[in-house]
Amino acid sequence: MPGLDAFSHVSLTVPDAERSAEFYNSVLGTETVFAGEHLVIVARGPVMIAFCDHPEIVGTTFDPARVGLDHVALQVSSRAELEAWETSLLAAGVTCSPIETSPFGSHLNLKDPDNIAIELFAPGRATPEPTQTGGWPS
């Protein structure tokens, strides 16, 4: 089977691409790398996010219960980095969840102005209770 080398980008449909770009730039430290009619692209390092404000957009806010995107997850280097993000977000007045730990790592969740769920994720296995089959919990 042909390979896949990396995740390229995510493109989100939003009611106002400029407003979304401003939020991601100010809260997540991205910068605008392209702005055109109905499209703004922001990036930080290898992470690239496009915002499209289609003229025929349906609805005004995101709903993770609809078929399609559930959330966008961005990886950070460590639990300490995630804690620094939590401090930064709270200082900026952004509502976020407390840091949660799962068998796969630590998670911090927030929402953008269109209610799109964003997860900041620090990989690292916790020490879960082994299942009866000896595998990871599902």
Side-chain angles (χ1 to χ4, degrees):
M1 177 176 288
L4 294 173
D5 295 332
F7 190 84
S8 171
H9 67 279
V10 64
S11 184
L12 303 173
T13 298
V14 296
D16 184 336
E18 288 287 336
R19 182 189 71 174
S20 293
E22 288 172 13
F23 174 84
Y24 283 71
N25 288 346
S26 68
V27 171
L28 297 180
T30 59
E31 64 180 62
T32 299
V33 295
F34 176 84
E37 187 175 0
H38 305 294
L39 175 66
V40 178
I41 300 172
V42 300
R44 179 173 176 183
V47 174
M48 188 166 40
I49 304 169
F51 304 104
C52 301
D53 56 10
H54 300 284
E56 65 280 357
I57 194 168
V58 176
T60 57
T61 60
F62 173 77
D63 183 345
R66 289 191 186 119
V67 172
L69 181 73
D70 180 77
H71 68 280
V72 173
L74 303 170
Q75 184 170 311
V76 301
S77 61
S78 65
R79 169 76 185 221
E81 188 73 12
L82 196 61
E83 291 168 358
W85 271 109
E86 181 179 37
T87 300
S88 175
L89 292 168
L90 293 173
V94 176
T95 302
C96 61
S97 72
I99 295 174
E100 300 171 11
T101 302
S102 76
F104 310 103
S106 299
H107 314 256
L108 175 65
N109 300 291
L110 63 137
K111 294 189 177 177
D112 79 0
D114 298 306
N115 207 38
I116 296 172
I118 303 167
E119 173 188 348
L120 300 177
F121 172 72
R125 291 187 175 177
T127 309
E129 293 297 317
T131 64
Q132 289 186 356
T133 60
W136 284 97
S138 52

